[in-house]
Amino acid sequence: SLLNDRRWEDHYSLTLGLSTALVETQYCNGKYDETEGIVSELASHAKSFHHKFRAYSALIKSLGAQGRVQEAIDTGFNCLKELGEPFPSRVNRRIIVADLIKTKVMLLGKNDET
């Protein structure tokens, strides 16, 4: 068959596209239990976070639809971490003020046009 055990090595783009579509379809059809396994396989073979994004998005929605809100949040935070935007697990006033100052510094000299 076309998509054999070496499908990720031999047919990466096709397998990625089909796997992503399958995750989204399973989510839309309410087959939430199947989405996690497909996402796990896809994530282990994907060459970049960009290739995982749509699958993770469907997984987060699937977890939320199942009432597994904390897992959905944790998955979202893990995605942010993979994108280079780690989110602290515990937030206090010091962290908030420090990030606010960093943001203000980044915005210095900017306006709506720049």
Side-chain angles (χ1 to χ4, degrees), residues 49-64:
F49 181 79
H50 175 73
H51 292 176
K52 302 176 198 178
F53 180 76
R54 283 178 47 200
Y56 276 140
S57 179
L59 175 61
I60 291 167
K61 290 184 267 187
S62 170
L63 292 168

Side-chain angles (χ1 to χ4, degrees), residues 14 30 39 52 61 82 87 91 94 101-102 109:
L14 177 62
V39 171
K52 302 176 198 178
K61 290 184 267 187
E82 279 197 55
F87 205 88
V91 179
R94 184 183 58 77
I101 291 169
K102 281 190 236 176

Side-chain angles (χ1 to χ4, degrees), residues 2 12 24 37 48 61 64 69 106 112:
L2 178 62
Y12 179 81
E24 292 171 336
S48 71
K61 290 184 267 187
V69 177
M106 288 174 26
D112 289 343

Side-chain angles (χ1 to χ4, degrees), residues 38-96:
I38 300 164
V39 171
S40 178
E41 178 184 346
L42 188 150
S44 69
H45 290 93
K47 295 178 180 177
S48 71
F49 181 79
H50 175 73
H51 292 176
K52 302 176 198 178
F53 180 76
R54 283 178 47 200
Y56 276 140
S57 179
L59 175 61
I60 291 167
K61 290 184 267 187
S62 170
L63 292 168
Q66 295 173 73
R68 295 164 59 187
V69 177
Q70 189 59 54
E71 288 176 72
I73 291 168
D74 292 342
T75 301
F77 284 153
N78 287 334
C79 289
L80 287 172
K81 186 176 178 181
E82 279 197 55
L83 289 169
E85 291 294 333
F87 205 88
S89 57
R90 294 179 186 249
V91 179
N92 59 39
R93 183 178 207 98
R94 184 183 58 77
I95 292 172
I96 293 170

